[in-house]
Amino acid sequence: MAEREVNIEAKPLKKQLKMPHPFVILTFVIAFMSLLTHFIPAGSYERVVNKMGVEVLDSNTFQLVASTPVTIMQFFTSIPRGFVEAGWIIALCFFVGAGFEVITKIGLIPAMVEGLVAKFKDKGIMIIPVFVFIFAIIDAFIGTPELIVVYVPIILPIMLRLGFDSITGVAVVLCGSAAGFSAGLTNPFTIAIGQKLSGLPLYSGWEFRTVIFFITYVIAVLYVMHYARKIQKNPMKSSMYYQDLKKRKGIIEEAKNSDVSQTLNVRQKIAGFYSIGVFACMIFGMVALKWDLPEMCAAFIAIGVGAALITKMDIDTMCDTLMIGAQNMMVGALVIGISRGISVVMTDGQIVDTVVHALSSGLTHLPQGFTIIGVLIAVTLLNFLIPSGSGKAVILFPILAPLADVIGVTRQTMVTTFQLGDGFTLYLWPTVGYFMAAIALSGVSWSKWVRFYGPLAVIFLVMAVIYLLVAQAINYGPF
């Protein structure tokens, strides 16, 4: 739609309730979990290496151990230790920011923004299903929700220029990622690990997951478009209205000052193709060569430095630009480090295995028809404590696979239950570092995001129950 002329000096008519800073919320959670270590008994499973060389829990070896409640000193050191444990994810944030600052400086990102704005100016709403599908299909296949910190800085200015708000900009990325990651067509970090630990053929059952993917994608698109149309009709209904006025003005002025043209010169075009090529190689490496965060960091260094050299950027200017880009990611990186402190205190207090044991014991006492729904709820709740999908899979599947046999559901259904429970709330819990970093980069507070995404998360989980009932009805297999 055409850009609206608005008074950027407008002030809110009434003072809104101010929510605590994300740092305050996360520190409170760390303090609460530290307190729980004084009340929840410490426990431990033995770890064994299975025939596939993966370290897993021996589900029959849980025992209570001597309590190790978190001390005051451990509480205060949990945040710096969390930074060390989350080092590679934090590094990724910095290198992503550095690389994208360079390609912004040389005009690639502004040119892309201006081109998309010109193309969708009178039909901006139609860009939403396109963007949601792109992010959904990426995470359905490669399962890298951490990359939302890459996408948000690109998509946000496009959506603001098209007249939407910051929440819409974040939503097309996060809702798309949620739909794709939760369906997990070939997600190597949850589907692959879950099927391996359950003895299932790798990526079997993809047909049913494809149906789940498209239904979930349509729900996500309709939800985001409904909200976007409401903002189109009355921009002041956005809780980000006044903040976005300033953001939009800055984006427009930046484009004018950089004299952006949709026509790039030869060196800019070469740098653009080079950057896309490096990114594609990174994706291939992650899927085929088992690359991880170090290789992802290296790829964004290569994008930034390579694009600068191709366009003959001065070396000192390149270094300054890389530094500025890293600085822009500081808030997101800090959020990730602080959030990791939660898992640090839980490990110190040895309560993770106790919580897992309690949940698994409770599930075996549920009526047979409700057990699979209980697993869905349990995994959803564990997401708050253990955001890592692969980490939860290694912990839970030595328990969930035999549990499936006991309660009379197929192991394939159990894998799908885990996948759905893991995916939808990764974009809700404040303990998920990269999610908190992504909304921090957009300027959207966690409370505002929850008001937007909460109803959709409920819809997603209700649909998950329906998917699982269908899976049980069709004896979803092969076994």
Side-chain angles (χ1 to χ4, degrees):
M1 62 176 281
E3 294 172 26
R4 297 175 181 267
E5 296 295 331
V6 291
N7 176 16
I8 62 168
E9 302 299 328
K11 303 294 182 184
L13 297 177
K14 60 180 180 179
K15 186 176 180 179
Q16 296 181 347
L17 178 65
K18 182 176 176 59
M19 292 297 295
H21 193 282
F23 294 173
V24 176
I25 295 173
L26 291 172
T27 303
F28 173 80
V29 175
I30 295 173
F32 180 68
M33 296 309 301
S34 299
L35 182 64
L36 286 183
T37 64
H38 291 260
F39 298 98
I40 298 177
S44 177
Y45 284 100
E46 289 183 11
R47 267 67 174 173
V48 296
V49 178
N50 66 11
K51 60 184 179 181
M52 293 173 289
V54 179
E55 186 180 74
V56 298
L57 301 184
D58 184 339
S59 59
N60 298 314
T61 60
F62 178 79
Q63 60 181 348
L64 295 177
V65 299
S67 293
T68 55
V70 170
T71 65
I72 294 294
M73 182 57 69
Q74 286 175 310
F75 166 69
F76 281 113
T77 60
S78 64
I79 292 177
R81 286 186 290 149
F83 272 81
V84 173
E85 289 192 9
W88 279 116
I89 301 179
I90 293 172
L92 178 64
C93 275
F94 286 137
F95 290 124
V96 165
F100 272 94
E101 186 67 21
V102 170
I103 61 177
T104 299
K105 179 80 172 179
I106 65 178
L108 295 181
I109 297 298
M112 182 189 71
V113 171
E114 293 302 308
L116 286 171
V117 168
K119 185 172 183 179
F120 287 91
K121 191 171 185 179
D122 297 321
K123 48 183 177 180
I125 198 76
M126 297 311 299
I127 204 171
I128 291 176
V130 175
F131 279 153
V132 173
F133 182 79
I134 291 171
F135 301 126
I137 204 70
I138 289 173
D139 273 332
F141 281 105
I142 67 174
T144 52
E146 297 87 353
L147 288 179
I148 59 178
V149 298
V150 177
Y151 308 137
V152 167
I154 301 174
I155 300 303
L156 189 59
I158 296 173
M159 302 308 290
L160 289 175
R161 286 297 307 276
L162 288 171
F164 302 110
D165 66 347
S166 293
I167 293 177
T168 309
V170 176
V172 296
V173 177
L174 270 60
C175 295
S177 179
F181 186 86
S182 301
L185 299 179
T186 60
N187 187 330
F189 303 105
T190 51
I191 290 293
I193 293 175
Q195 289 185 330
K196 282 182 179 180
L197 296 179
S198 300
L200 290 162
L202 186 60
Y203 298 136
S204 57
W206 63 268
E207 300 91 344
F208 185 62
R209 292 197 300 278
T210 301
V211 174
I212 292 175
F213 171 82
F214 281 106
I215 294 175
T216 309
Y217 161 73
V218 170
I219 291 171
V221 167
L222 293 177
Y223 188 86
V224 176
M225 290 181 73
H226 173 75
Y227 174 83
R229 284 195 179 98
K230 181 177 71 174
I231 301 305
Q232 274 186 325
K233 293 178 181 178
N234 185 358
M236 293 191 72
K237 285 188 175 181
S238 170
S239 60
M240 295 295 296
Y241 176 72
Y242 295 99
Q243 297 96 314
D244 287 343
L245 291 178
K246 296 179 181 179
K247 287 184 193 175
R248 193 175 289 109
K249 181 186 177 184
I251 293 168
I252 294 172
E253 287 181 349
E254 182 180 332
K256 289 178 180 178
N257 293 337
S258 62
D259 193 27
V260 174
S261 170
Q262 292 182 43
T263 303
L264 301 174
N265 63 38
V266 174
R267 286 189 175 275
Q268 287 174 313
K269 290 179 180 178
I270 293 174
F273 285 119
Y274 163 80
S275 300
I276 294 171
V278 173
F279 189 81
C281 288
M282 181 191 75
I283 298 299
F284 173 80
M286 293 170 66
V287 175
L289 305 177
K290 307 302 180 186
W291 285 1
D292 207 336
L293 292 172
E295 291 81 8
M296 292 171 67
C297 291
F300 285 102
I301 295 174
I303 287 174
V305 174
L309 295 176
I310 290 170
T311 54
K312 291 189 173 181
M313 181 183 289
D314 176 78
I315 296 297
D316 288 343
T317 303
M318 178 188 73
C319 292
D320 288 340
T321 304
L322 291 169
M323 183 176 65
I324 291 170
Q327 289 174 346
N328 291 339
M329 302 293 280
M330 181 63 71
V331 173
L334 289 173
V335 166
I336 290 172
I338 296 172
S339 68
R340 184 56 69 95
I342 297 167
S343 65
V344 169
V345 296
M346 290 181 61
T347 301
D348 286 349
Q350 301 187 87
I351 63 173
V352 176
D353 286 3
T354 304
V355 172
V356 171
H357 176 71
L359 287 173
S360 62
S361 299
L363 290 171
T364 59
H365 293 93
L366 289 175
Q368 183 174 1
F370 293 95
T371 305
I372 202 69
I373 298 174
V375 172
L376 175 70
I377 295 171
V379 175
T380 297
L381 295 176
L382 273 177
N383 249 5
F384 180 84
L385 304 177
I386 313 171
S388 168
S390 57
K392 280 198 301 296
V394 169
I395 291 173
L396 290 180
F397 269 102
I399 299 169
L400 294 182
L403 178 63
D405 300 334
V406 171
I407 65 176
V409 302
T410 65
R411 292 192 173 193
Q412 192 77 274
T413 300
M414 188 64 79
V415 170
T416 303
T417 306
F418 173 84
Q419 180 69 23
L420 296 172
D422 177 59
F424 292 135
T425 52
L426 283 178
Y427 310 84
L428 184 64
W429 299 132
T431 53
V432 184
Y434 52 82
F435 151 64
M436 291 294 285
I439 61 173
L441 290 172
S442 69
V444 177
S445 69
W446 178 71
S447 59
K448 289 179 180 179
W449 173 254
V450 169
R451 285 198 295 271
F452 169 82
Y453 183 73
L456 179 59
V458 172
I459 294 171
F460 278 157
L461 290 172
V462 169
M463 291 304 301
V465 172
I466 296 173
Y467 301 146
L468 295 176
L469 293 176
V470 172
Q472 284 186 278
I474 65 175
N475 201 32
Y476 182 37
F479 56 84

